[in-house]
Amino acid sequence: MESRATAGTAGPTYGSYLALDAILSAQHPLSDTHDEMLFIVIHQASELWMKLCLHELAAARGAIVEDRMDMAFKMMARVARIQAQLIQSWEVLATITPADYSAMRAKLGTSSGFQSYQYRALEFIMGNKNPAMVDVHGEAPAVQAALREELARPSLYDEALRAMARAGLPVPADRLERDFTKGYEASPQVEACWRAVYAEPERYWDLYELAEKLVDLEYRVQLWRFGHLKTVERVIGFKRGTGGTAGVPYLAKVIDQVFFPELLTVRVAL
């Protein structure tokens, strides 16, 4: 595509199509430190990648509802590649030294990645439901409304269980219809259903592939979480986070949260 310098021609230019004026003028460092630009760009880029993750996962969920598994697999595979980009971003952020970060930290006030509503939406769509997290965005009613809508929807895993039931496997009724604003609780009966899928992959190929795509998503989320923990540990040690969390100890607890519990426990039973 052409550049803004040739804007006299018909149609959009490279710059206008991508709204580069808005994007490239959206960095506003609050300190005079060199590294604050890196800090801002990394987080802005991560939010853009998360926006794409939400776009793809919402579409994948819709495809699962319609039993269009090939489409769902394509979108979930794309998200896995996006997650690789997000994981790699910690390597860049980790080049900020403790002294560099300390020089800018006071300017950040109480702003924190904990306040990322897109990250919260990703947690919700993957099944880590916590209604209290909506309260974090009390000053943004539109954001709260969007998060409440996502909180009430069946998660990606909920729809996977419904697909399994449509395939004739005995998924318990209380896992198919429930209060979706609450976190999912593991079920021995669901684990038995996944065990049947893994025992006969040729018979349940779509469900087998879906299971592995879900496991891949969880695996990469955990790598992202671990990268976050180690980057924070490297840059600020065990100081409290700017948003009021306990910092590293809080992030360590988050790593223990799982999205698709039976897909992990079934591996013991196989």
Side-chain angles (χ1 to χ4, degrees):
M1 298 178 70
E2 60 189 356
S3 70
R4 183 170 288 277
T6 59
T9 58
T13 66
Y14 180 79
S16 66
Y17 178 70
L18 297 177
L20 290 183
D21 285 350
I23 293 173
L24 298 179
S25 61
Q27 295 74 45
H28 307 289
L30 299 177
S31 71
D32 58 1
T33 59
H34 174 79
D35 284 2
E36 190 177 356
M37 181 62 77
L38 165 61
F39 189 80
I40 292 171
V41 168
I42 284 287
H43 286 85
Q44 288 180 337
S46 294
E47 289 292 334
L48 285 172
W49 282 126
M50 283 191 281
K51 182 175 184 176
L52 186 53
C53 282
L54 288 167
H55 175 72
E56 298 293 340
L57 289 178
R61 177 172 55 187
I64 293 170
V65 170
E66 298 174 359
D67 290 319
R68 294 186 298 135
M69 294 300 184
D70 286 349
M71 290 297 296
F73 298 158
K74 176 183 177 181
M75 295 159 185
M76 293 168 76
R78 180 175 291 165
V79 171
R81 300 300 183 273
I82 298 168
Q83 288 175 306
Q85 296 292 327
L86 287 166
I87 293 164
Q88 179 61 29
S89 70
W90 294 124
E91 295 287 335
V92 183
L93 193 63
T95 63
I96 297 178
T97 68
D100 294 331
Y101 182 69
S102 294
M104 75 174 84
R105 192 180 193 217
K107 297 291 186 179
L108 302 179
T110 59
S111 64
S112 167
F114 182 75
Q115 299 157 354
S116 169
Y117 64 86
Q118 288 200 125
Y119 176 74
R120 195 60 55 197
L122 277 172
E123 292 264 327
F124 287 177
I125 199 170
M126 289 185 63
N128 186 17
K129 304 287 188 74
N130 183 350
M133 292 298 99
V134 178
D135 298 336
V136 174
H137 306 282
E139 297 180 358
V143 167
Q144 282 192 315
L147 286 176
R148 287 196 183 100
E149 285 183 13
E150 186 56 59
L151 187 70
R153 291 190 187 106
S155 71
L156 201 64
Y157 193 56
D158 289 319
E159 294 299 355
L161 298 187
R162 288 177 168 183
M164 192 154 56
R166 290 194 297 273
L169 288 159
V171 180
D174 64 359
R175 292 300 182 274
L176 301 175
E177 296 296 337
R178 62 186 187 85
D179 181 356
F180 294 113
T181 65
K182 296 181 179 179
Y184 177 82
E185 294 183 5
S187 160
Q189 291 87 355
V190 169
E191 182 186 303
C193 289
W194 285 122
R195 188 161 64 246
V197 168
Y198 276 92
E200 297 184 83
E202 296 83 4
R203 179 180 177 184
Y204 299 110
W205 184 260
D206 280 351
L207 292 173
Y208 177 76
E209 183 69 13
L210 178 59
E212 287 301 293
K213 285 288 189 291
L214 290 169
V215 169
D216 196 35
L217 287 178
E218 174 145 346
Y219 169 73
R220 292 172 190 273
V221 167
Q222 294 292 27
L223 288 180
W224 184 90
R225 287 171 168 175
F226 184 74
H228 188 187
L229 182 155
K230 299 308 289 186
T231 301
V232 170
E233 184 179 74
R234 174 174 177 161
V235 175
I236 70 170
F238 289 86
K239 294 178 183 176
R240 292 188 65 82
T242 51
T245 70
V248 168
Y250 169 78
L251 295 174
K253 290 180 180 178
V254 169
I255 290 176
D256 291 333
Q257 297 172 354
V258 298
F259 295 98
F260 320 124
E262 294 94 349
L263 288 176
L264 300 179
T265 59
V266 73
R267 282 153 164 73
V268 180
L270 293 176

